[in-house]
Amino acid sequence: EVRTRDKAPMNWAGTQNNLGVVLQVLGERENDPQILQEAVAAFRAALEVRTRDKAPMNWAGTQNNLGVVLQVLGERENDPQILQEAVAAYRAALEVYTRDKTPMDWAGTQNNLGNVLRVLGERENDPRILQESVAAYRDALEVRTRDKTPMDWAVTQNNLSAVLRVLGERENDPRILQRIGSRLSRRPGGF
């Protein structure tokens, strides 16, 4: 009511972004697609003010947030178009989140991109999309190293193994599955 778009546009956009985050959590918790749609609307409203030209880092963060909620919604609605919108949002964020300038944001967004590509590739039974998922995870692992960020590294390694398993099963290629097994056996206790 006070941080209006006319009087304080950047503050308004920041509040819209925060509202989107809260609505996403609530929509997931309540399993309510309507609330998830409200989160999408809040992020899109924020992006009207948080433009790439005026606030590139905020724009990229909101694009990433939009990608997350679109992925959740696309998975729940089993809608490949919404999943494609999530892919587009992550790729937009990666135009600003670069490995050189913001390596952790870049790696996190690469991991998110890998996640949505894995879901999309599984649902569409498309090995090309699954390979794109593998590439995104491998990119993320260039920054998410075991030494620097062990928890993020483990999450991304797990995600990579999941997509390699799907690829190995779909392509009936035991070499892919053997790569997963060799990764697990190299470390005591798995990852």
Side-chain angles (χ1 to χ4, degrees):
E1 293 175 16
V2 174
R3 288 182 165 187
T4 65
R5 183 173 178 171
D6 291 337
K7 292 180 184 174
M10 292 309 271
N11 289 332
W12 175 86
T15 302
Q16 286 291 336
N17 182 73
N18 294 342
L19 176 62
V21 171
V22 170
L23 289 169
Q24 176 198 331
V25 171
L26 184 61
E28 285 184 76
R29 182 177 299 153
E30 300 292 322
N31 196 23
D32 187 333
Q34 181 58 42
I35 296 173
L36 293 171
Q37 287 286 4
E38 290 175 32
V40 169
F43 290 131
R44 288 192 170 141
L47 288 168
E48 292 174 10
V49 173
R50 280 185 163 183
T51 64
R52 183 175 175 178
D53 290 339
K54 291 181 186 173
M57 294 305 290
N58 290 333
W59 176 84
T62 302
Q63 286 286 0
N64 188 63
N65 292 342
L66 177 61
V68 171
V69 73
L70 287 169
Q71 180 178 345
V72 170
L73 190 59
E75 286 182 55
R76 295 204 175 170
E77 300 288 307
N78 196 23
D79 187 332
Q81 173 145 359
I82 296 174
L83 293 171
Q84 287 287 1
E85 290 177 39
V87 169
Y90 291 136
R91 287 192 170 141
L94 288 168
E95 294 172 11
V96 171
Y97 284 165
T98 64
R99 182 177 174 180
D100 292 337
K101 291 182 185 175
T102 57
M104 296 310 293
D105 292 328
W106 175 83
T109 305
Q110 287 287 0
N111 184 74
N112 291 346
L113 177 60
N115 289 339
V116 73
L117 288 169
R118 183 184 71 223
V119 171
L120 192 59
E122 285 181 73
R123 295 201 175 167
E124 305 229 335
N125 197 21
D126 187 336
R128 181 190 54 78
I129 296 173
L130 293 170
Q131 289 290 353
E132 288 180 46
S133 173
V134 169
Y137 291 136
R138 287 193 173 142
D139 284 347
L141 287 169
E142 292 175 10
V143 172
R144 288 182 159 192
T145 64
R146 184 178 183 156
D147 293 336
K148 289 181 186 174
T149 58
M151 293 302 289
D152 291 337
W153 173 84
V155 166
T156 303
Q157 285 285 1
N158 185 60
N159 293 340
L160 176 58
S161 292
V163 73
L164 288 172
R165 178 189 54 79
V166 171
L167 265 172
E169 291 170 353
R170 298 256 169 107
E171 294 184 6
N172 198 21
D173 187 345
R175 292 173 298 169
I176 295 172
L177 297 172
Q178 287 168 350
R179 279 190 290 186
I180 297 169
S182 69
R183 290 181 109 113
L184 293 172
S185 65
R186 277 188 258 159
R187 304 245 186 250
F191 292 118

